[in-house]
Amino acid sequence: MDLICSAITKTKQAKQAVDELALTIHKEPAFVLFFASTAYPFEELVACFTNKYPNSQIVGVTTTGEIGPTGFDEFSLSVQTYAAPFGQFQATLMTDIAKYPIFERQKLVTAAKQLGIPLQSRNIEREGLAFVFPVGLQAGEEKMLSVVNSIFEQDGFPIFGGTAGDDAKFEATYVSVNGEITSTGGAIIFIKPTVDFYIIKENNFESMGKRVKITKADPEKRIVYEMDGRPAADVYAQALGVPVTALDKHWSLYPLGRKFNNEFYNASPFMLRESGAIEFYCQVYEGATLEILQPRDVIIELEKTIEHFTKRFTQLEGVLACNCILRKLQFQQERLIEKMNDRLEQLPNLCGFSSYGEQLNKSQLNQTMVLIGFGKRRAE
């Protein structure tokens, strides 16, 4: 039996789409994870999956593009299922990640303990992992990650995920857990796998040799007002050599980055405000010095990522991917989707989505792709 199965469909009627997917995936999975375009009525999809798999734990996420066994797609429905021998799952729903997420901390403690995860372990990185899927447009990802991490006495519990999207409408995003739906919260799935796993973060950017200092910002609202003591948009536009009015047409290829352990963690602009302030997809802190980044060759970087990733396993059962919306838009604009998919389809039982943000351990990321693979790791 395959421990992981993945499938994708573009059939638009919800029940028919779920029935079609059911022909390919496990008949009685322990866990069902689906990613849906807003082309589908989300409530109807949730009901269909719940009726089809009454004994499974089920999590659903709205997207801004789906990833299936053959790579990137859109206006589709993708699903990944996990067989009972894969391990144990405990999914729970946070209903508010923006205002008072701390009030739901006990719910997380209970869920983790139900799987036997020892929260006081000194080797917490060996005690399992968690998927997280926050809703988008609430600026709550960092708060959600903070609460999830707070239940462990030691740092290091592996956390992986992506932010729900809505096909770039920027109106409302949704996540569901076992039939319950939220547009203000998020899903957390604690997992005790019987197999090995490995996580990798891909970054297609490098420094262009220019730095800016954040001199006025509101991290809570993700707004940067000033860089180098001047309006943020003026400084950013000058550094890129473009007019302020054209800044939002260029910044997706030139995000800001903070370097940690020789890796860049991107901070991507989301919206230009009339005052010259810039709203970001993640928190940016006053006093930070950030580098302006420039793109590398994305095909070469993906080939490197896949080679590095697959070499970690002697047997790879399946892969879950969360890819930033800005990367997806870049690939579409540069007509690279077909070439990307030629590489991605090498990954077995691939599933995932294009997201409004990516989560890795304690960090909310932008303009990256995070991959998690499950199977038998190669001895190091």
Side-chain angles (χ1 to χ4, degrees), residues 25 70 77 117 262 287 356:
I25 58 181
T70 57
L77 172 63
I117 296 174
N262 292 319
Y356 284 172

Side-chain angles (χ1 to χ4, degrees), residues 21 58 88 135 170 185 194 201 228 233 242 246-247 272 275 294 307 313 328 334 338 356 361:
L21 293 172
I58 305 171
Q88 296 175 285
V135 298
F170 302 109
T194 58
K201 174 180 75 70
D228 298 336
V242 300
L247 182 58
L272 180 62
S275 62
Q294 62 187 3
E307 181 182 16
F313 293 89
K328 176 202 164 192
E334 297 179 6
E338 187 175 343
Y356 284 172
N361 302 328

Side-chain angles (χ1 to χ4, degrees), residues 241-304:
V242 300
V244 170
T245 52
L247 182 58
D248 59 357
K249 294 180 176 62
H250 294 82
W251 61 24
S252 65
L253 292 179
Y254 301 93
L256 302 184
R258 52 195 186 277
K259 202 167 191 178
F260 181 72
N261 286 343
N262 292 319
E263 281 194 83
F264 280 111
Y265 289 75
N266 300 356
S268 302
F270 170 56
M271 181 187 300
L272 180 62
R273 293 176 168 252
E274 291 181 6
S275 62
I278 301 173
E279 187 174 339
F280 282 76
Y281 278 101
C282 66
Q283 293 181 351
V284 181
Y285 292 92
E286 201 168 291
T289 298
L290 305 178
E291 301 202 36
I292 298 178
L293 307 181
Q294 62 187 3
R296 294 171 172 158
D297 185 306
V298 296
I299 299 297
I300 291 174
E301 292 303 312
L302 181 60
E303 288 172 346
K304 288 180 184 175

